[in-house]
Amino acid sequence: MMRPGSKVRLKGLATATEHNGSVGHVVEIPALEDDPARDEGRVFVKLAGGMVMSVKHLNLEEVAAVANPSPAFIPADAASDVTAAVEHAECCICYDALCDSACSVLSKDGSRICGHFFHSQPCAESLLNGHHGGSTCPICRAEYDGIMPIPEFSVDPRGWFRAVDVDGDGKLSQEEVREVIKALMPLDWRRLENELPALWDMWDADGSGYLEEHELNELILFMKLHIPRFADAPVPSIESDAVGWFKYFDEDDSGTLEKGELTRALIKTFNMSSDLSKVQEMRRTVDSVWGLFDPDVSNLIDRAEFVMRDGLADTLVATMAFL
């Protein structure tokens, strides 16, 4: 395991295949004369933030991808509530839809450091004092020292584009466009993910694979008109319909919920998102009772354990009466 800011030596043609950093650089350094690996050369990978890396031998051209990860990058070991929030275009601090409130991004030395968004108030402001004791993105763990507000698209489309253009090259790839629109626009994000690939060529006329500012503006207007966001189905009552409640949040129909998924579901059910102190209190509540229903420490609760008499649902409902 590496410490933040460490360097990793990769011998030969190699690259990192799993990492938690989001911004960094890659440098190829000749081997020392007295090193047995002097004929292989070395590749050093340095990324911002703490990271856990696995290594495999690959073509050297792929090393550059380490310094420019996907805007949708989520570490493999991210908590399930964070993964669910990103998938549903929610702020991972409060779990409300990102498009419902003004958003901000994280920055370091005045530049944006990753492709993730957070509600400006109170969520991004709460991160100024550090997330869980450290100044790293709650999603990708890139280091930050400030926040940058995203202007309203309808008021300042040019400023909006500059703010969402992470690398500042004046253009966005299809993946970048998908993640930005999904997060910031009141659209049906499921349809957006399904339909954007087929519609892409309508705006990418030169086949470059990228959209510039004026092209993106036209795409957004089209999407807002043709795939508007509709209200989600109402959440079943956890008190009177625990089975229905469990199925509602068990979106992959696995018959289980992870601890983070359950926490997110409860915060949304009891409308706690606007009060971060209540959000944190719910996290603590789930932590305090979880071990009683997860004796094998699998981090999963199945439907039967949840809905049985005096099971987790009954325990949580009883506990909520005192919050």
Side-chain angles (χ1 to χ4, degrees):
M1 181 176 297
M2 292 173 49
R3 297 177 180 274
S6 300
K7 291 185 178 180
V8 175
R9 186 180 75 181
L10 309 177
K11 294 183 178 179
L13 302 183
T15 187
T17 58
E18 184 176 335
H19 58 88
N20 297 332
S22 183
V23 178
H25 59 269
V26 180
V27 182
E28 185 174 2
I29 303 175
L32 299 175
E33 287 299 320
D34 58 351
D35 193 297
R38 60 183 179 276
D39 295 328
E40 298 180 27
R42 296 178 182 173
V43 176
F44 285 75
V45 178
K46 182 180 181 181
L47 297 170
M51 61 194 79
V52 178
M53 307 182 79
S54 60
V55 176
K56 71 176 183 179
H57 291 280
L58 293 171
N59 190 308
L60 189 57
E61 282 76 13
E62 295 177 335
V63 173
V66 177
N68 297 286
S70 157
F73 171 66
I74 306 175
D77 61 347
S80 56
D81 57 325
V82 170
T83 302
V86 173
E87 178 185 352
H88 290 80
E90 297 171 352
C91 172
C92 74
I93 306 299
C94 68
Y95 306 117
D96 273 349
L98 284 164
C99 64
D100 286 348
S101 301
C103 289
S104 293
V105 294
L106 301 178
S107 64
K108 187 173 178 63
D109 299 327
S111 298
R112 189 176 174 189
I113 53 89
C114 67
H116 301 117
F117 300 90
F118 307 88
H119 282 156
S120 297
Q121 295 287 349
C123 304
E125 287 288 342
S126 74
L127 296 176
L128 285 177
N129 295 321
H131 177 66
H132 294 309
S135 295
T136 58
C137 172
I139 300 173
C140 67
R141 302 169 197 154
E143 293 180 346
Y144 67 89
D145 59 16
I147 61 174
M148 297 171 57
I150 304 291
E152 287 288 336
F153 174 77
S154 58
V155 175
D156 184 9
R158 178 160 295 180
W160 184 91
F161 185 91
R162 287 197 300 266
V164 302
D165 181 15
V166 181
D167 57 10
D169 63 357
K171 57 186 180 182
L172 300 179
S173 68
Q174 184 174 154
E175 184 178 31
E176 289 174 314
V177 168
R178 183 191 68 229
E179 293 304 310
V180 167
I181 296 179
K182 175 181 173 180
L184 301 180
M185 296 294 160
L187 304 175
D188 183 335
W189 61 266
R190 293 179 178 85
R191 285 188 60 192
L192 172 69
E193 291 185 336
N194 290 333
E195 298 179 19
L196 181 60
L199 296 171
W200 184 256
D201 289 345
M202 292 175 59
W203 292 276
D204 182 22
D206 60 1
S208 66
Y210 296 90
L211 295 187
E212 298 182 5
E213 181 182 335
H214 69 283
E215 297 169 317
L216 179 63
N217 294 349
E218 294 171 3
L219 182 150
I220 289 173
L221 294 175
F222 177 91
M223 291 293 185
K224 290 175 71 173
L225 179 64
H226 288 85
I227 55 171
R229 175 189 176 201
F230 295 100
D232 294 329
V235 179
S237 169
I238 189 174
E239 294 96 338
S240 61
D241 185 12
V243 172
W245 187 92
F246 191 97
K247 289 181 177 180
Y248 182 94
F249 288 103
D250 180 21
E251 296 186 1
D252 60 0
D253 200 28
S254 65
T256 62
L257 288 176
E258 295 184 34
K259 184 178 178 181
E261 292 176 308
L262 179 70
T263 303
R264 168 183 172 269
L266 290 166
I267 290 168
K268 295 179 74 66
T269 297
F270 292 104
N271 298 313
M272 295 177 165
S273 298
S274 61
D275 187 338
L276 292 189
S277 65
K278 290 186 176 180
V279 169
Q280 294 304 319
E281 191 169 15
M282 178 57 78
R283 293 182 187 277
R284 290 192 293 269
T285 297
V286 174
D287 285 342
S288 66
V289 302
W290 184 264
L292 301 174
F293 302 92
D294 183 28
D296 60 354
V297 199
S298 66
N299 204 40
L300 297 171
I301 189 81
D302 65 36
R303 188 180 306 163
E305 293 169 325
F306 184 78
V307 304
M308 68 182 183
R309 183 181 179 87
D310 297 325
L312 183 54
D314 286 348
T315 301
L316 289 168
V317 170
T319 303
M320 286 302 299
F322 298 96
L323 295 183

